[in-house]
Amino acid sequence: MNGEERAKYLTHILNACSRFIESGSIMNADTALDYIAHSASPDGDAMQRVATYVSEGLAFQMLKNLQGVPKALSLPRTLSTSEELLARNLFFQLYPFLKIAYVITSHAIAEAMEGEEVIHIIDLSASDTAQWICLMQRLNERQKKLLLLKITGIHENKEVLEQMDLHLRVEAGKCNFKFQFNSIVSTLANLDLGSLPVVKGEPLAISSVLQLHSLLATDDPMVCSTSRNTPSEPMNQKTFGEVLGKQNFNLGPDSSLLQLSMCGSSQKMGCFLDGLSKLQPRLVVITEQESNVNGSSLTERVDKAVDFYVSMFNCLESTVAMFNCLELTDSETVVKRNILERTLLGEEIKNIVACEGVERKERHEKLETWIPRLEFAGFVRVPISYDWMMQAKKELHGYGNGYKLLQENKCLFVCWNDKPLFSVSVWKI
């Protein structure tokens, strides 16, 4: 089989395997995993690598009813602090997504806060100093009156916040800013917005980079949807060969959109966004993954995850090839790619496929579902300006020709070959 044929073959069998698991046909699911193992590879092309992680997630789904085996295999896996920081750093290096998010955030905040002597920023995803170093440099160019920059960082790991505080103080000294860093050790789900050190009337901005979706895990969507063990088509009476021979599966409508309209937004999410609006921020900048892997159906999640992550792996492959031509040896960049895929992207895929309820943290949804949530909480979109767009385009230099920026509905999408992968949106009250 050539690459295109193998991709179709793997997509087909992954779909069949997930449907077998949903129907309780474990023997057929096991046979499907055996077929996948012969074509998937962690060192193959993008589809082969994605299939490797999806199949691991499916295998864990089959083991979940057992008590001892998942624990003995340490599934699901949680990254250590050092692994998390390394993965985040590699994601920043090998993809342009965070760079673009940081540029838009820094330019939007700098413009909104022009002329202010005190600026307070709440970072809902505090872990990366690069975002705020970019802002400090921008403020240093524009703000002549700035006396105090305050950043309140929220992260569940105290060590991460301590490192941020240390590095940002050094950078603030270079810019001659008075600087205050408030560390809040908490998850978003447990965060008490009312206890944040916000001074009434103080110019406030809020940044959330790839964090809001985690709140969707606090309200199990299975409560307002049919059980995941109710398949859209009975399969337990069919053999693996019979299902594999079918050319089309009639998937139901997009379940996350149905959940939004039928069940309303997540209760926790609604309360959290209401709480943000009560803080009266001058600006809120939100970056989220432009995928839809929050369905209750395992089969749907597998299909959506394969579609999204194959594009992610493909553009990563393109970047690695580009970097090889510019500066690094082939072995070095391949090692970096493998680490990023294993510690971050692969773990995301396995969480989407293997986990249910509050354990499933990777509940990404498209911007079309975030817009009504934010508007219901009283937020209004701020258009991405031409200047912000031009600055963001500069960050694509060196990443190949496959990346594109798309403006739609006053928001910015970072695309790979016309497929939106991440969105950046700016909001005000």
Side-chain angles (χ1 to χ4, degrees), residues 306-324:
V306 168
D307 178 63
F308 180 82
Y309 283 98
V310 165
S311 293
M312 287 290 289
F313 279 42
N314 271 324
C315 57
L316 181 57
E317 212 163 71
S318 173
T319 300
V320 168
M322 180 70 66
F323 280 23
N324 286 342

Side-chain angles (χ1 to χ4, degrees), residues 23-43:
S23 68
S25 183
I26 300 304
M27 292 299 293
N28 280 330
D30 182 63
T31 302
L33 285 176
D34 187 47
Y35 273 71
I36 294 166
H38 284 87
S39 296
S41 168
D43 302 311

Side-chain angles (χ1 to χ4, degrees), residues 396-415:
L396 294 180
H397 294 166
Y399 283 96
N401 298 322
Y403 286 103
K404 298 178 182 178
L405 297 182
L406 171 67
Q407 279 185 284
E408 191 172 287
N409 293 326
K410 300 180 181 180
C411 304
L412 180 67
F413 296 91
V414 189
C415 309

